[in-house]
Every structure is written in C-alpha cells, then in structure tokens.
Amino acid sequence: MHNFIALLQNENMKLSQRISTWIMYAILLVIILFGAVIEFFSESVTTTEVDDNWKEELRVETANLEEMNEEDEYMYGMFTDEIAINNYHIENDIKPLPYDAWQFTMENAGLSSMISLFTIIIAAGIIASEYRLGTIKLLLIRPISRTKILLSKYVTVLLFSMIMLLFLFISSMIIGSLFFGLNGLNPTIVQMSVDGPKETSIFGEIFTQYGLNMINLVMMATFAFMISSLFRNSGMAIGTSIFLMFTGTTVVAMLSNYEWAKYILFANTNLNQYMGNGVPVIEGMTLGFSIAIIAIYYIIFLVVSWLAFTKRDVAGA
Amino acid sequence: MNVAMELINVNKNIGKKHIIKDLNLSIHKGEVFGLLGPNGAGKTTTIRMMVGLMKMTSGDIQIEGHSIRKDYKNAVRHVGAIVENPEMYPFLSGWKNLKHYARMIPGITDERIHEVIQLVGLQKAIKEKAGRYSLGMRQRLGVAQALLHRPSILILDEPTNGLDPAGIREIRQYIRKLAEEEDVSVIVSSHLLSEIELMCDRIGIIKNGELLSVEDVKDSQDDEENTELSVTLNVSPLKEAMEIVSSFPIKSEGEHSITVKATREQIPDIIKSLVQADIQIYEVNVEKTSLEDKFFERIGENTIA
Ligand SMILES: Nc1ncnc2c1ncn2[C@@H]1O[C@H](COP(=O)(O)OP(=O)(O)OP(=O)(O)O)[C@@H](O)[C@H]1O
Ligand SMILES: [Mg+2]
C-alpha cells in the first residue's frame, strides 16, 4: 500500500508538471465563462424576480406553446413536456424560479463530454508516453509488479476525470452565481419523470446528470487506456476513442433495426434512456441489461490492458 | 570468487529469429565486466533480459542468488541500470526525476539522493529541467538514478555512446571507483574495445548472439615479456627489408612500410639486421596486439548479421 501511494504521487507529479494538463483546465474554464455570457444576454432566460402575476403570464405562454405544438408543421409535438411542466406549476401553485447558478450548473453537465475528451487524451498518453520517451525501461526495472504500476496509472486517469468534474461543478456554481445569482441552497425544480411532471431537488438532479455522464466518460477513458497499452501509441488511442465517441451513437441509431445492435456498447452507455420519460434505443432493453453490457465491456477493456502491459516484452522502446 | 550474477543457458527467440544462443556467464562481485560486440550482436537484448524487460525463451539468470524469472522483485532489487540511452522525463527537473525513482523503492532518503547527485557531480544543474541537459549530463543523471538504492550490480548499456573523450574518461573513473570502493559489480556494453578496455577487468566478446570468449584484460596487459607486438617498419628499399624480416609473421604491408609480429626482445635484432643490410629506417612503430587483435580475430569483419 505504501508504494502504491508513492506510485500515485509519481503519476500525479508527471501530470501536473505538464503544461498541457493546465491548458485543459483553462479551456474548460473559458468554455464555462463563454456559456455564461451567452446565457446572460439571451432573451429566453429570466433572471429577474418573478412577480405575483406569474400564473397569468405562464398561462399566456403555455397557450402560445400549445398553439405551436398543435398547428406549426415544423414544431409539432416539440413542446408537450414543457406544457405539462407549466401546467404542473400552475395547478400545484409552484412559483417558477428565475434562472440561477443551479440551473446553469445543471445545463453544464453536458460539458462532461469535453471532460471525456480531455480524459481520453490523458488516458491515451499515460502509458504511451512512457514508451515514446523511453522511460518505460527505467519505470519497469524496480521491485514493483507491472500490475501495480498499471493500476496506479489507471487510478490516476480516474482521479483526473473526477477532479475535472468537480472543477466543472464548482466553477459553474461560482460563475453561475456571479452572473445569475443563487436561489437558496437547495431549490427544487419541476422535471418530467416516468409518471408525468414531478417536483425534485435540483441538487439531486445535477448529481444524477453528472453521474450518468460519468459512465460514458469512464468507458471511453478505459477504452483509450486499453488502446494505449495495446499499441503503445497515444495518437492511435486518441484517434480511435474520439472517433468512436462521436460516431458510436449514430452507428447505433443506424443499426437500431437489428436486434443484435443492443449488444453494442454505445447502445447502452446513455442510461438517460431509462430515466424520466426516456425511450430505450432498441425495444426490450432494460436498465439491468445495459448495466450488464457495460460491465462486460469494462472488464474486457481492463483485462486486455493488463495482458498487454504485463505479459509482453519491452523491446525496441 | 563470489558470483553476483549468473547467466545459465540463456536463449532468446523473437519470432523465428534465434537472437541469443545458449549464453553462459558469471559476473563476479566487484568486477567491471565488458560486453563487447558489433551492432546487432545481442548486447542490449541480453541486458534487457537481465533486468526483466524481456523474458528469456529458456535458461535462467540469477542475481545475488535470486532468479529473475521466479523471484523478480528480489532479483531486480540488487540491480541498477541504464538500458540503451539515459532517457529521462524532459518536463521534470533532474531532482524530480530522481525523486520519482526514489519513491519506487522504500528506504531512499533525500540525503541519499543528494549523495548520488554529489557522486555524479550534478549539483549545479539538478533544479533544471532534464530536457535541457546535454547528453553527458543525462548520462550522469542516468547513473545517479541507477545508484539510488545502492545496487550491488550496475548495468550500463553503451555508457560511452555519444560522449566526448573527456566524458568517457570521467565515466571510466567513477565506474572504477564504484567497483573498487563500493564493491559494486559493473556490466558495461560497447561496440568499441578502445572505449571500455581501460575500465574493464574482463571482457566477454559476443557476436550473433553467441558468447565467443571471455578475456582477462589484466593478463594481456601485465604479461609484457611474451606479449606479441605489431612492429611497423617504415623503410627503404622495402623489398630487401621484407626478405630480411621474412622469418617473422607478416601482418600487413603498406606502400612504404611493413608490419610484422614480434616480441619485445626481438625488436633490437630486427633493427640491427636491417642496419647491417644498409637499409634506411625512417620510423619504427610498436603497438600492443593484445585485445584489439583478439577482438578482431574473434569477430572477423564488423558485419551485422
Ligand atoms: N523486438 C525485436 N524483434 C525482432 N528482432 C529483434 C528485436 N530486438 C532485437 N532484435 C534483433 O536482435 C539482434 C540483437 O539486437 P540488440 O539490440 O541486442 O543488439 P546490440 O548488440 O545491442 O546492438 P547495438 O550495438 O546496435 O546496440 C539484432 O539482430 C536485432 O535485429
Ligand atoms: Mg544495443
């Protein structure tokens, strides 16, 4: 255990001494700021206090939406959820809250794909760069098993993604508060669920969203890690992982007529399909099925990484 | 004699290629052993197997009595090494590079790190990023890294590669110092005899993955009386001179010179008989044949198989 912590220290030292790591944080921060500015000047967002007349205003708005929802040939059916949510507000006398840091943070859960990208880059490099630099030869001639060294690298990748997610959450909250203010410590929000609109804690909602995105992130990072271990080349690991990340869901959508498509990883990684009023990509898929498929892929990725790293000669590096 | 490392019938195949063939070798405690061979002879492959980077196809390597195959951790604990080039993390300072490897073995204090920095003379540059180091400095950082845990065997693959003569001399000096003062066994590889001859106690000659012979360096230097020397005579006329020295084995002929093999005792006689025959002698050059010749006798042309 002592030397495992030492290994983690080493990996984190190597990460934090590289400028590229800090550039990733800077990019994320700039994107969050940029999003806040856009949101701030956008008209569809109410940041001012809602007045006592809100029910009347909401009724008018809902009526407009209903009209579009039924008559506009392009937007037909698009607003069904929003109308239901508005009606729920009116019926239950829940005053809509103005846009604030919590909602900003919740929307920024989508930025976790940015974090996936960064984590893929880190995962791809953490093994491959030792080979590229030739330092692998000095790393592996210590009285520590290769398994332990590999594990320390993998844990470092996971830690990196957690810290990045935390960074996304905290900076979204801070920037959100500065731009839009904060509606208390744990406001509620009305969201669609399996049985219609429901009032839920926004904090819980954020937690769920970030958590669900985490699955995709970890799977892609582990995939990149495997390719990096297998081919000892970070370019290839980054290339294949990002390619799959962007095309995966599209490919699944194209193949969704075939029954076997449900065994493709990307048909399963988005667990949002089982949340709220989501619809599974392929009929008959269940949450349990998806979790099992994800687990199987995950184990395969790790075993392949391990075999490639521990069983092969270090030659010609 | 105490054995620090033993190679027993070591074989390595990669694909269909038989790269190392039945290598048997013992490295004694406190000796400097040279692994000499042309490019592609299998020196690096042998060293990679010694430190467990490559698995051998058959045979075993015992380090301080521990098999590198079966008891990797206890075997490798006694080894410090640089395999091929001294590659460091360029974005870390020299200090952090050392700290990195120090963390991987329990019991290495900061004082010990300072000690090895002192030993290789890198005090001034240790805070600088290793990416800015010259090759000589990286070589020293590599040696420092290899010495951190007080190994009993130090393995340096081509330590003189790319160094200038002053750098080579320096390496030679502290390799000798380590062997003599700290009783460390040192294995150095090279494809140039001249670069390691002066630091080694014994030299193993390897070609095409086979160990051809192991020569004792001291022997061939101490035994002055009977050492064969190459005597190069720059004389005129060459033809007559050749007849006079025809009783000696001729090594080579030049345009104005001839080289024969002779012992130290025989040199005055050769000169006397040339003078008596009225032959003009412009130059007499005497060189030890010793290892250099043995080396070339053994490996023949320096070809890559
Ligand atoms: N990964 C590999 N796959 C196939 N052949 C290899 C591999 N590594 C080494 N070889 C072959 O093994 C032989 C020995 O190579 P090695 O690197 O050990 O030589 P060397 O004595 O260190 O040479 P040099 O002086 O050039 O460093 C060479 O013929 C080389 O082509
Ligand atoms: Mg070599």
Side-chain angles (χ1 to χ4, degrees):
Chain A
M1 196 59 205
H2 157 79
N3 59 19
F4 189 70
I5 288 172
L7 290 179
L8 285 183
Q9 268 180 309
N10 274 349
E11 292 306 325
N12 280 298
M13 175 173 78
K14 286 183 265 183
L15 266 193
S16 64
Q17 291 281 310
R18 291 183 138 148
I19 306 164
S20 53
T21 312
W22 298 106
I23 292 177
M24 292 177 185
Y25 283 100
I27 291 175
L28 192 59
L29 194 64
V30 167
I31 291 177
I32 297 169
L33 262 174
F34 192 68
V37 170
I38 301 245
E39 203 79 65
F40 190 72
F41 291 108
S42 117
E43 287 176 7
S44 67
V45 166
T46 33
T47 53
T48 46
E49 203 46 53
V50 187
D51 53 29
D52 289 340
N53 210 7
W54 64 269
K55 272 193 190 168
E56 201 42 50
E57 283 172 15
L58 203 56
R59 264 194 202 108
V60 174
E61 192 196 317
T62 310
N64 279 338
L65 287 178
E66 268 168 348
E67 195 177 313
M68 278 198 277
N69 205 30
E70 270 144 44
E71 281 156 31
D72 196 298
E73 67 178 301
Y74 297 111
M75 297 191 239
Y76 184 81
M78 269 175 69
F79 301 108
T80 316
D81 285 359
E82 207 172 334
I83 292 163
I85 290 173
N86 284 354
N87 287 334
Y88 188 85
H89 274 284
I90 296 165
E91 283 156 26
N92 295 284
D93 202 18
I94 305 167
K95 190 168 149 182
L97 294 170
Y99 191 82
D100 78 331
W102 289 105
Q103 289 185 52
F104 180 65
T105 305
M106 187 167 81
E107 282 172 10
N108 278 350
L111 283 184
S112 62
S113 59
M114 202 69 209
I115 297 180
S116 298
L117 205 72
F118 293 150
T119 310
I120 284 171
I121 293 172
I122 298 287
I126 202 161
I127 297 173
S129 73
E130 301 276 3
Y131 281 92
R132 187 172 47 80
L133 294 171
T135 46
I136 189 76
K137 292 176 297 190
L138 293 183
L139 193 70
L140 294 185
I141 57 170
R142 315 284 148 176
I144 297 181
S145 69
R146 290 194 192 179
T147 305
K148 227 175 202 178
I149 290 174
L150 184 75
L151 189 65
S152 75
K153 286 184 175 294
Y154 185 65
V155 169
T156 302
V157 171
L158 294 187
L159 278 177
F160 170 82
S161 68
M162 307 276 179
I163 294 171
M164 267 250 160
L165 271 176
L166 205 65
F167 176 79
L168 170 63
F169 177 81
I170 292 173
S171 30
S172 296
M173 283 304 289
I174 293 173
I175 291 170
S177 306
L178 294 176
F179 277 80
F180 315 110
L182 199 63
N183 300 327
L185 283 181
N186 189 12
T188 55
I189 184 173
V190 175
Q191 289 260 302
M192 285 308 282
S193 73
V194 198
D195 19 63
K198 216 172 91 189
E199 189 177 8
T200 51
S201 137
I202 195 162
F203 187 74
E205 195 57 31
I206 288 173
F207 200 76
T208 317
Q209 286 307 318
Y210 277 56
L212 291 178
N213 285 327
M214 202 62 202
I215 294 170
N216 202 16
L217 190 164
V218 167
M219 290 308 290
M220 290 322 296
T222 309
F223 179 79
F225 191 76
M226 173 185 77
I227 300 291
S228 175
S229 169
L230 204 52
F231 296 99
R232 300 169 175 182
N233 176 317
S234 68
M236 179 182 282
I238 294 173
T240 48
S241 310
I242 291 179
F243 177 77
L244 284 180
M245 189 169 106
F246 284 120
T247 57
T249 36
T250 317
V251 169
V252 169
M254 272 162 45
L255 298 174
S256 60
N257 288 332
Y258 300 98
E259 171 79 10
W260 52 263
K262 67 182 179 186
Y263 297 108
I264 299 174
L265 174 64
F266 300 98
N268 298 282
T269 43
N270 179 15
L271 293 186
N272 256 325
Q273 59 186 312
Y274 306 111
M275 304 287 150
N277 52 353
V279 187
V281 182
I282 293 156
E283 230 182 85
M285 284 169 60
T286 63
L287 181 62
F289 173 82
S290 284
I291 290 175
I293 292 288
I294 290 172
I296 290 168
Y297 274 96
Y298 185 71
I299 290 166
I300 291 173
F301 290 173
L302 284 186
V303 168
V304 171
S305 310
W306 178 76
L307 287 175
F309 191 76
T310 59
K311 300 291 174 205
R312 282 193 306 170
D313 281 350
V314 178
Chain B
M1 184 86 53
N2 258 326
V3 173
M5 183 193 279
E6 197 171 12
L7 283 75
I8 307 154
N9 287 327
V10 173
N11 279 283
K12 177 69 181 175
N13 297 358
I14 298 184
K16 285 206 176 94
K17 269 209 263 177
H18 197 176
I19 291 176
I20 300 294
K21 297 159 192 161
D22 260 326
L23 214 58
N24 282 289
L25 185 63
S26 295
I27 311 292
H28 306 146
K29 287 221 164 99
E31 80 167 336
V32 181
F33 187 90
L35 208 50
L36 186 66
N39 293 129
K43 305 180 293 289
T44 301
T45 307
T46 306
I47 288 174
R48 280 176 194 266
M49 289 191 290
M50 287 176 176
V51 295
L53 287 175
M54 281 180 149
K55 290 194 176 67
M56 52 207 111
T57 309
S58 68
D60 198 5
I61 296 178
Q62 302 259 342
I63 301 172
E64 300 285 353
H66 303 279
S67 159
I68 193 94
R69 307 181 78 145
K70 298 181 200 107
D71 193 7
Y72 171 74
K73 283 188 208 171
N74 283 319
V76 88
R77 201 179 288 277
H78 301 284
V79 178
I82 304 179
V83 184
E84 284 180 320
N85 306 309
E87 284 123 342
M88 297 291 153
Y89 299 103
F91 48 86
L92 297 182
S93 66
W95 174 267
K96 286 200 163 128
N97 266 291
L98 291 181
K99 186 80 193 164
H100 176 267
Y101 295 115
R103 284 202 191 110
M104 298 183 77
I105 302 171
I108 299 176
T109 58
D110 279 5
E111 283 83 72
R112 175 61 186 164
I113 304 181
H114 282 296
E115 213 174 284
V116 294
I117 292 169
Q118 196 99 30
L119 183 76
V120 299
L122 217 51
Q123 300 93 314
K124 278 200 199 120
I126 203 65
K127 292 247 150 43
E128 260 181 65
K129 292 226 189 306
R132 293 201 211 111
Y133 282 16
S134 69
L135 182 60
M137 287 157 84
R138 265 187 287 143
Q139 192 69 257
R140 290 175 200 212
L141 191 60
V143 172
Q145 157 284 130
L147 289 176
L148 278 172
H149 52 295
R150 301 178 201 277
S152 54
I153 302 167
L154 179 65
I155 303 175
L156 305 173
D157 193 5
E158 313 239 6
T160 51
N161 206 359
L163 294 188
D164 59 19
I168 293 175
R169 211 177 62 191
E170 219 173 278
I171 286 245
R172 179 192 305 151
Q173 279 163 356
Y174 64 63
I175 285 179
R176 290 264 28 134
K177 193 169 131 193
L178 282 169
E180 275 151 31
E181 291 174 16
E182 319 231 338
D183 212 27
V184 174
S185 313
V186 187
I187 301 172
V188 290
S189 78
S190 179
H191 52 264
L192 282 177
L193 174 68
S194 56
E195 289 188 352
I196 58 165
E197 188 178 10
L198 287 173
M199 60 177 119
C200 292
D201 298 309
R202 292 192 304 150
I203 291 180
I205 297 168
I206 180 173
K207 191 193 175 189
N208 292 340
E210 277 177 284
L211 187 68
L212 299 178
S213 73
V214 178
E215 305 288 344
D216 226 311
V217 178
K218 287 239 179 56
D219 271 7
S220 56
Q221 280 175 350
D222 292 348
D223 196 9
E224 287 280 315
E225 294 293 298
N226 297 315
T227 311
E228 274 205 335
L229 302 172
S230 332
V231 183
T232 304
L233 302 158
N234 194 333
V235 289
S236 164
L238 190 61
K239 241 193 173 144
E240 283 173 42
M242 274 166 72
E243 269 165 37
I244 291 166
V245 298
S246 60
S247 58
F248 295 94
I250 293 174
K251 270 191 73 182
S252 63
E253 288 169 38
E255 210 175 318
H256 304 289
S257 66
I258 177 169
T259 305
V260 295
K261 283 188 190 174
T263 62
R264 193 178 145 79
E265 298 285 285
Q266 293 166 322
I267 296 174
D269 294 338
I270 297 176
I271 295 174
K272 202 184 283 171
S273 44
L274 288 173
V275 171
Q276 277 166 1
D278 237 1
I279 287 168
Q280 311 280 337
I281 306 175
Y282 297 97
E283 201 182 340
V284 179
N285 201 352
V286 180
E287 268 180 70
K288 269 185 203 157
T289 48
S290 70
L291 272 174
E292 185 87 37
D293 284 6
K294 283 186 190 161
F295 178 51
F296 281 112
E297 261 165 40
R298 296 286 180 184
I299 68 164
E301 284 292 297
N302 193 351
T303 48
I304 297 169

